[in-house]
């Protein structure tokens, strides 16, 4: 069978919608036709991509791996066929929040001066790799170790962590805090793009309650409402400060690496220029 772009789009719709019914409605096709398309794709790959044993479909481990590959392939085709991109080839720089921190504006200014022929698009993407593995970005600024086949990364700098709490919290009266000071509080964790998890604390003294969120705005809202505390790199209050929360130095937490990651082969031709300029900007 010759796999076509429609097979990938159908699979991605199923992965996102969670059911054949909703995916078929989004694609304006019948459920039997969508099921046949999925089955044909699985037969071609020789692997089951979707677990159909429950009412709410789940991706198999193979399906989760293929989802990123399919998304990258579809994104590449869409970008290649975009009429608006014929005049120039923008370089898409993904990030999950504070980008390059206090160096962000300087990086953009220097790029515009030196490479006016190539627009640098800064894209906030709530995804663990800021859209890099899905083909939604050409390079990404990340704050967690990044090891994926076909990609490389370079640490540009490190940041300290800060504790985050409601402005009227008793913890806000402290000049600095330790992990132990936070252990008896519920902790807000961004499960989609955050870098904080319970492993940050010693196994013998960890928070017992978690408030799960899926983006930075909801993370700030949960903390501002006094429902949880948070831990974040020091660039967050510099770039995305919230008026109803307080930020205090967290003196015993490990620093956070700020990485620039990109595809090793076949990526945007301006990637070497971006890497060189990022090094220069943070030096």
């Amino acid at each position: 069978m010759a796999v076509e772009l429609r097979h990938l789009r159908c699979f991605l719709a199923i992965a996102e919608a969670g059911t054949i019914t909703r995916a078929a409605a989004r694609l304006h096709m019948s459920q039997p036709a969508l099921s046949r398309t999925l089955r044909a794709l699985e037969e071609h790959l020789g692997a089951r991509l979707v677990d159909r044993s429950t009412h709410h479909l789940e991706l198999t481990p193979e399906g989760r791996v293929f989802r990123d590959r399919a998304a990258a392939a579809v994104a590449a085709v869409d970008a290649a066929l975009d009429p608006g991109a014929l005049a120039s080839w923008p370089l898409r720089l993904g990030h999950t929040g504070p980008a390059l921190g206090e160096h962000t504006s300087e990086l953009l200014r220097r790029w515009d001066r030196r490479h006016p022929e190539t627009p640098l698009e800064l894209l906030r993407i709530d995804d663990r790799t800021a859209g890099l593995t899905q083909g939604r970005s050409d390079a990404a600024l990340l704050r967690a170790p990044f090891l994926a086949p076909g990609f490389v990364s370079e640490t540009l700098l490190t940041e300290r962590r800060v504790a985050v709490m409601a402005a009227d919290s008793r913890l806000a009266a402290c000049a600095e805090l330790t992990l132990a000071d936070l252990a008896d509080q519920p902790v807000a964790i961004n499960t989609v793009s955050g870098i904080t998890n319970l492993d940050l604390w010693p196994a013998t003294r960890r928070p017992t309650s978690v408030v799960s969120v899926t983006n930075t705005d909801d993370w700030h809202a949960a903390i501002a409402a006094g429902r949880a505390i948070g831990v974040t790199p020091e660039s967050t209050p510099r770039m995305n400060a919230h008026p109803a929360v307080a930020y205090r130095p967290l003196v015993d937490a490990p620093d956070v690496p700020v990485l620039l990651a990109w595809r090793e082969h076949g990526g945007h031709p301006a990637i070497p220029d971006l890497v060189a300029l990022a090094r220069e900007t943070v030096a």
Side-chain angles (χ1 to χ4, degrees):
M1 184 198 79
V3 174
E4 301 174 0
L5 194 59
R6 64 183 178 88
H7 292 90
L8 304 185
R9 293 193 189 278
C10 287
F11 167 70
L12 291 174
I14 294 170
E16 181 178 350
T19 69
I20 294 289
T21 302
R22 286 200 294 267
R26 292 182 184 181
L27 295 170
H28 304 290
M29 62 189 300
S30 68
Q31 295 180 42
L34 181 56
S35 296
R36 287 194 299 270
T37 302
L38 173 62
R39 187 162 55 251
L41 179 61
E42 290 178 324
E43 290 174 355
H44 174 80
L45 294 172
R48 181 175 288 273
L49 302 177
V50 177
D51 183 358
R52 305 167 179 79
S53 62
T54 61
H55 178 69
H56 182 84
L57 300 183
E58 298 287 345
L59 297 184
T60 63
E62 295 82 2
R64 290 193 290 272
V65 171
F66 185 69
R67 176 181 54 191
D68 282 350
R69 295 182 179 178
V74 170
V77 172
D78 288 344
L81 298 179
D82 180 8
L86 292 178
S88 63
W89 186 355
L91 176 58
R92 302 166 301 169
L93 179 57
H95 67 102
T96 58
L100 198 53
E102 61 185 346
H103 303 286
T104 302
S105 59
E106 185 59 26
L107 175 68
L108 298 178
R109 288 176 182 271
R110 292 186 182 191
W111 182 270
D112 290 346
R113 288 196 302 266
R114 300 186 191 181
H115 306 283
E117 74 288 351
T118 304
L120 179 60
E121 297 180 351
L122 190 65
L123 306 175
R124 173 176 163 179
I125 301 176
D126 286 320
D127 169 72
R128 191 70 62 184
T129 67
L132 186 58
T133 58
Q134 300 174 356
R136 299 168 63 191
S137 59
D138 302 302
L141 291 163
L142 307 173
R143 282 171 171 75
F146 179 69
L147 296 173
F151 296 88
V152 293
S153 64
E154 177 177 322
T155 299
L156 298 174
L157 50 87
T158 59
E159 295 179 336
R160 291 172 295 183
R161 298 184 197 245
V162 296
V164 192
M165 69 291 301
D168 58 355
S169 166
R170 61 174 178 79
L171 294 174
C174 302
E176 58 184 29
L177 294 164
T178 65
L179 289 169
D181 293 329
L182 310 179
D184 62 346
Q185 302 287 320
V187 58
I189 292 181
N190 183 340
T191 59
V192 173
S193 60
I195 62 169
T196 298
N197 56 52
L198 294 181
D199 290 340
L200 182 63
W201 281 263
T204 57
R205 190 78 168 92
R206 287 178 178 169
T208 58
S209 179
V210 169
V211 176
S212 297
V213 298
T214 58
N215 58 67
T216 303
D217 293 337
D218 291 346
W219 178 83
H220 264 133
I223 296 172
R227 296 177 178 176
I229 55 89
V231 176
T232 192
E234 60 184 344
S235 56
T236 298
R238 294 175 182 170
M239 303 298 294
N240 300 300
H242 191 291
V245 305
Y247 307 88
R248 298 291 181 266
L250 194 54
V251 297
D252 60 345
D255 289 347
V256 178
V258 181
L259 312 173
L260 179 63
W262 64 94
R263 189 175 296 276
E264 186 173 13
H265 301 293
H268 195 290
I271 289 293
D273 294 326
L274 177 63
V275 175
L277 188 61
R279 291 171 183 158
E280 176 188 318
T281 303
V282 302

